[in-house]
Amino acid sequence: DRSKAIKTVLMQLFCSCGPLQVHPNGSQGHSQNCWHNIEGIDNYNACYGATSALFHAFNWILSPVWNHKYALVVGTDIAEYAVGPARPTGGCGAVAMLIGPNAPLVLEPFRGTYMRHVYDFYKPVLC
């Protein structure tokens, strides 16, 4: 699943110095012009991960502890299949949503969720 947390990669965008620098002694770091006061989590849950992150951001903005900062929700997914008839249906996608007041996306403050265990997806072991 290539489990590199997307937040650690995106944090490079919030540094005026650009991407992580590798110094001659082998250490890595940024200049002092980085923004370190950014909260965030990674939410893994296949196709539902970005939806769950959107709901978390929405709930945070509705909460009394919201500090009037924007939330950034980034959703990515990849489908990689072994050689065979399913391979042409593989692919990837990504979306980024800036969540805050006066957004063009309107969510209702109520919703329902239904889930149950169903074996509905074949995940091959790829070498």
Side-chain angles (χ1 to χ4, degrees):
D1 67 355
R2 315 206 186 33
S3 31
K4 170 81 172 163
I6 196 163
K7 181 182 183 259
T8 59
V9 174
L10 292 175
M11 287 300 295
Q12 295 178 76
L13 300 175
F14 299 100
C15 291
S16 63
C17 57
L20 188 67
Q21 304 295 316
V22 178
H23 301 287
N25 65 3
S27 66
Q28 298 179 355
H30 292 287
S31 73
Q32 296 301 313
N33 298 326
C34 294
W35 300 356
H36 296 288
N37 188 18
I38 298 175
E39 295 183 35
I41 61 165
D42 282 300
N43 188 354
Y44 295 94
N45 195 352
C47 300
Y48 184 69
T51 303
S52 179
L54 175 63
F55 288 156
H56 287 308
F58 182 67
N59 289 336
W60 173 61
I61 288 172
L62 291 179
S63 77
V65 297
W66 181 51
N67 57 4
H68 301 280
K69 292 182 179 180
Y70 285 95
L72 177 64
V73 174
V74 177
T76 63
D77 201 359
I78 185 169
E80 184 177 9
Y81 298 97
V83 175
R87 182 162 254 180
T89 65
C92 63
V95 63
M97 297 171 273
L98 186 62
I99 311 300
N102 304 316
L105 176 66
V106 177
L107 297 176
E108 295 294 333
F110 52 88
R111 63 178 177 268
T113 302
Y114 170 80
M115 68 177 71
R116 66 186 178 118
H117 175 72
V118 175
Y119 187 76
D120 62 351
F121 192 78
Y122 174 68
K123 257 192 135 129
V125 177
L126 299 174
C127 297

